[in-house]
Amino acid sequence: MLEGARVTMAIRAASLIAVIGAILLGGPWAAGPADAAPPQTRTPDDFPVARDVRLGGDENETRFVVDFSQKIDIRAFTLANPYRVVIDMPQVTFQLPPKAGEKGRGLIKAFRFGLVMQGGSRIVLDLARPARVEKALVLDPVNEQPARLVLDLAAVDRDVFMRMIALDNRAPETTSVRRPDLDAKPGDTRPLVVIDPGHGGIDNGTRAASGETEKALVLDLSLLVRDRIGKAGKYRVIMTRTDDSFVALAERVNLARGQQASLLLSVHADALARGEGDAQGATIYTLSETPSDAAAARLAEAENRADVVAGLDLSAEPNDVADILFDLARRETKTFSVQFARTLMGELRNATRLHKDPLKSAGFRVLKAPDVPSVLVELGYVSNKQDIKLLTSEPWRARTADAIAQAIDTFFSTRLAGARRN
Ligand SMILES: [Zn+2]
C-alpha cells in the first residue's frame, strides 16, 4: 500500500445531476473567496491552474500527481463498465503538456481533463483493471513545491471492486436544474428548433492532426446556424450548449422533449483513425435500430461514448431503443426525421462536399426522443486534409450555416403547407 494511507473521502457513483446538485447545495466547489467575481465574468487566468502531471508506479500500485497553482478541493470516486476513476474539482485552467493523458502508466491506461460544466472541472482516469483509490488529496504548497493533487491506486479484483462500489454508493441526488434562459415564452407558438453542438468540456470529440477539436468546430458552426434562424424570426431556437461545457446525451434529449421541440439537429465532425483509410464529405444520420452499414455502426458507438468519456455512471440508464420503436408517435417522428435529413442533404449539396453515401442511420442515443424529429449531421472528416481545411475556413462556415438554416426553413414550410392541406 502506498504510504499505508486509508481512504477517507467518499467514493460514490454520481451522475452529472448529482454533481450539479452538489454545487447548488453548496458543495466544496461552491466555496470561493467572498469577493470573487461571478463565474461568467471570470477569465481563464482567474481560475487555479493545473500546470504539470506525473505518473509513477506499476500495475499493482500507481500514483497520479498534478501540480496546481493553489490548493483546491477535490472529490474522487470510481465507476465500473468501463473501470474509471473520476476526480471532480472547482473550475480550473488546464495548462498541461499537449499530449498529456494520451498514454498512461501502470493501472492508468489514459486520462482526460476539462470542464464538465461552468464552475466545475474534472479529470477522468481510464483504468487498465479494477483498482481502489487508496488516497486522494491535495497537498499544500511547501518551499519550492507547488500545491499537488496526489491520487494513489491499488489493484483489486473485480469482485472487491464491485462490492466497494455497492457499499460506497448512496442513492444519487435527483436535483434537476432548469436553465431559465431555455424556457420557452408562454404563448409563443413558433416552432422550436434545438441546435445541439456535439461534445464539449472534458469531451473533445475527434481531433484533427493540426489540433482543432470537434467540440470547438461544431460549437462555432452551431452558433452561426442559431444566429441565422433566430434573425429570420419565424422560429424559436435553443442550444444545448453555448460554451465549452459538457452536456450528457440524455440531458440533450430531455431538453428537446421538455421544451416540446419540433426539431433537433445534432452537429458533429467525424474522423477516421490512422490506418483506417480516408473518407471525406458530410453525412446525415437518422435513428435506426439496425445500422445502415458498418461505418455507421462504428460512428454511433463512438458518439454514444460521450458520457463514458466524461465519467458518467451509465449503469442506471435504461436500454430502451426497442421499446421506443414500438411507440406509435415514433412513426411520425421517424417520417419527419427522414424528411428533414433529405432536405438537409439537398441544401448541403450546394454548400459543401457530401460523403459518397450521404444518408445513413444507426442507434445514436442523442436521436432517441420519440416525439421530436431528430437528425445528426457529421460536417466532414477532421482526419481528411481537404475537409479540415473547409471546416476551419470562414467562407465555408458561412455558406454551410446558410444551407442548414435554409434546410430548416424548407422543412417547416413544407410541413406547415402539408398540415394546411389536411
Ligand atoms: Zn461527435
Side-chain angles (χ1 to χ4, degrees):
M1 204 187 253
L2 295 164
E3 294 182 14
R6 289 278 307 148
V7 187
T8 50
M9 85 296 164
I11 301 171
R12 48 190 294 283
S15 65
L16 184 70
I17 298 299
V19 167
I20 293 167
I23 288 177
L24 286 189
L25 298 171
W29 308 346
D35 58 350
Q40 58 268 31
T41 62
R42 291 170 76 175
T43 69
D45 297 340
D46 299 330
F47 297 104
V49 180
R51 296 197 197 282
D52 199 14
V53 59
R54 293 177 297 282
L55 289 99
D58 54 30
E59 282 138 44
N60 293 313
E61 292 176 336
T62 307
R63 171 167 285 186
F64 179 76
V65 180
V66 185
D67 292 342
F68 281 96
S69 59
Q70 66 187 73
K71 199 173 176 184
I72 53 165
D73 289 315
I74 61 159
R75 197 173 60 114
F77 55 92
T78 46
L79 293 173
N81 307 316
Y83 302 116
R84 283 158 294 163
V85 174
V86 176
I87 311 166
D88 278 331
M89 59 195 73
Q91 183 162 349
V92 305
T93 300
F94 288 96
Q95 288 176 1
L96 300 179
K99 301 231 163 182
E102 285 182 15
K103 272 197 201 127
R105 175 177 178 148
L107 290 161
I108 300 171
K109 271 202 300 202
F111 63 91
R112 3 177 222 285
F113 44 86
L115 203 60
V116 73
M117 60 180 299
Q118 287 305 319
S121 291
R122 171 175 279 196
I123 300 174
V124 180
L125 312 175
D126 291 330
L127 300 183
R129 47 178 293 203
R132 181 210 308 270
V133 178
E134 297 283 347
K135 180 202 268 183
L137 48 81
V138 180
L139 301 169
D140 284 313
V142 280
N143 303 327
E144 300 298 291
Q145 292 258 43
R148 274 164 301 148
L149 180 160
V150 178
L151 182 118
D152 286 340
L153 295 170
V156 292
D157 63 35
R158 182 175 166 87
D159 286 352
V160 171
F161 184 89
M162 296 313 286
R163 251 199 323 271
M164 207 169 68
I165 284 193
L167 276 177
D168 285 327
N169 284 358
R170 307 280 175 274
E173 294 101 293
T174 49
T175 323
S176 87
V177 179
R178 267 197 107 79
R179 291 184 248 175
D181 55 310
L182 295 181
D183 281 327
K185 290 195 184 71
D188 192 340
T189 54
R190 292 174 299 162
L192 178 68
V193 181
V194 175
I195 304 291
D196 174 46
H199 313 276
I202 190 170
D203 175 18
N204 289 321
T206 57
R207 189 195 284 270
S210 43
E212 284 89 359
T213 54
E214 176 184 357
K215 66 172 182 180
L217 292 169
V218 300
L219 175 61
D220 188 84
L221 190 92
S222 298
L223 289 168
L224 291 181
V225 174
R226 178 197 64 179
D227 294 347
R228 278 156 170 78
I229 314 170
K231 205 154 65 183
K234 287 159 81 177
Y235 311 102
R236 291 173 295 149
V237 195
I238 54 176
M239 308 263 297
T240 52
R241 66 177 181 100
T242 52
D243 58 23
D244 186 27
S245 298
F246 173 79
V247 183
L249 293 173
E251 212 184 317
R252 298 170 194 251
V253 175
N254 290 343
L255 172 74
R257 298 194 68 188
Q259 300 290 327
Q260 299 176 314
S262 303
L263 184 68
L264 177 141
L265 176 64
S266 193
V267 185
H268 290 257
D270 205 348
L272 288 186
R274 217 176 291 164
E276 278 181 14
D278 202 6
Q280 59 183 50
T283 315
I284 298 144
Y285 291 86
T286 49
L287 178 69
S288 71
E289 204 176 6
T290 322
S292 52
D293 62 22
R298 170 198 65 80
L299 177 74
E301 204 179 297
E303 299 290 12
N304 289 347
R305 272 183 56 81
D307 292 352
V308 165
V309 164
L312 261 59
D313 182 14
L314 304 183
S315 54
E317 289 257 326
N319 195 0
D320 52 359
V321 209
D323 297 346
I324 286 174
L325 287 172
F326 286 110
D327 194 324
L328 276 178
R330 166 153 287 276
R331 298 190 182 179
E332 194 181 42
T333 305
K334 188 171 178 179
T335 308
F336 284 135
S337 300
V338 170
Q339 213 173 79
F340 177 64
R342 292 211 181 103
T343 308
L344 184 57
M345 179 181 69
E347 291 296 339
L348 278 180
R349 200 183 283 289
N350 304 321
T352 186
R353 300 191 301 178
L354 295 183
H355 186 266
K356 61 180 171 11
D357 193 6
L359 278 184
K360 294 190 182 190
S361 62
F364 294 91
R365 286 180 49 212
V366 76
L367 301 182
K368 282 180 184 170
D371 39 13
V372 182
S374 301
V375 165
L376 182 146
V377 61
E378 297 280 346
L379 296 168
Y381 288 80
V382 302
S383 51
N384 178 271
K385 274 199 192 117
Q386 285 148 300
D387 275 11
I388 189 67
K389 213 186 247 174
L390 290 177
L391 286 162
T392 51
S393 105
E394 213 56 66
W396 179 88
R397 285 205 292 254
R399 66 174 190 265
T400 301
D402 281 338
I404 294 174
Q406 181 57 55
I408 290 168
D409 190 39
T410 306
F411 170 70
F412 283 113
S413 310
T414 315
R415 248 183 95 165
L416 294 173
R420 272 195 296 272
R421 271 200 305 275
N422 290 336

